[in-house]
Amino acid sequence: MPPEPIYDDIKTTTDIPRASVYHTQYREMTSTLVEFDYSDPPCVVCRVPNRSTVLMVPARNDCPDDTWTEEYHGYLFASRNYDSSPPSEYICVDGNIESLPNSAADIYGSHLFQVESRCVVGGSMPCGPYQDGYELTCAVCTK
């Protein structure tokens, strides 16, 4: 979020149902990433000149083939609010994870959780290759 918001046509009401924007924190990190638990992630934009297609590959830390260029790989995350609503969107967080300085506090808001696989016998995530409770990796590729 920008440090200085600009508002148009302000109507401050609390009795009309609206969507809310909260800050976001990393939560329930695995042991290798535990130092980032409760920290706020920075906002980033990936721009790659002369490549117009971006592909996020879940459950892999590499690109589909040599025609793709890997921009980064890391872990699959999804946002959840305190009301246990379903994930809003799955995102790939760079394995060289970062957080905003001085942001490690447990504050009400949206949280980014690492995504774990849940295998289903005969399903699209079959047990065997997918293991229950394993954190999923990801890669962001361009061409």
Side-chain angles (χ1 to χ4, degrees):
M1 300 293 288
E4 301 281 335
I6 298 172
Y7 298 101
D8 287 332
D9 194 23
I10 299 170
K11 290 180 179 56
T12 56
T13 62
T14 57
D15 59 342
I16 299 173
R18 306 239 179 168
S20 298
V21 173
Y22 295 97
H23 77 286
T24 299
Q25 294 180 311
Y26 296 120
R27 289 300 296 269
E28 308 297 328
M29 306 296 279
T30 60
S31 60
T32 57
L33 302 174
V34 72
E35 68 184 277
F36 295 99
D37 212 10
Y38 298 104
S39 295
D40 297 354
C43 185
V44 297
V45 173
C46 183
R47 181 179 178 275
V48 182
N50 303 320
R51 291 193 287 246
S52 60
T53 304
V54 178
L55 174 68
M56 192 274 284
V57 183
R60 301 275 312 177
N61 59 7
D62 59 4
C63 296
D65 58 45
D66 290 340
T67 65
W68 292 90
T69 300
E70 181 184 303
E71 299 303 330
Y72 65 90
H73 66 271
Y75 296 95
L76 199 62
F77 277 74
S79 178
R80 266 188 15 205
N81 293 323
Y82 271 110
D83 64 3
S84 297
S85 56
S88 59
E89 179 180 8
Y90 294 96
I91 61 172
C92 187
V93 174
D94 193 322
N96 295 317
I97 198 165
E98 295 180 27
S99 66
L100 296 176
N102 305 313
S103 65
D106 185 10
I107 302 171
Y108 183 85
S110 182
H111 297 117
L112 283 176
F113 290 88
Q114 285 182 277
V115 175
E116 297 179 344
S117 59
R118 293 287 182 255
C119 70
V120 177
V121 175
S124 62
M125 289 182 61
C127 298
Y130 288 93
Q131 301 293 319
D132 268 354
Y134 280 31
E135 288 82 16
L136 293 172
T137 57
C138 57
V140 172
C141 309
T142 58
K143 75 158 68 168

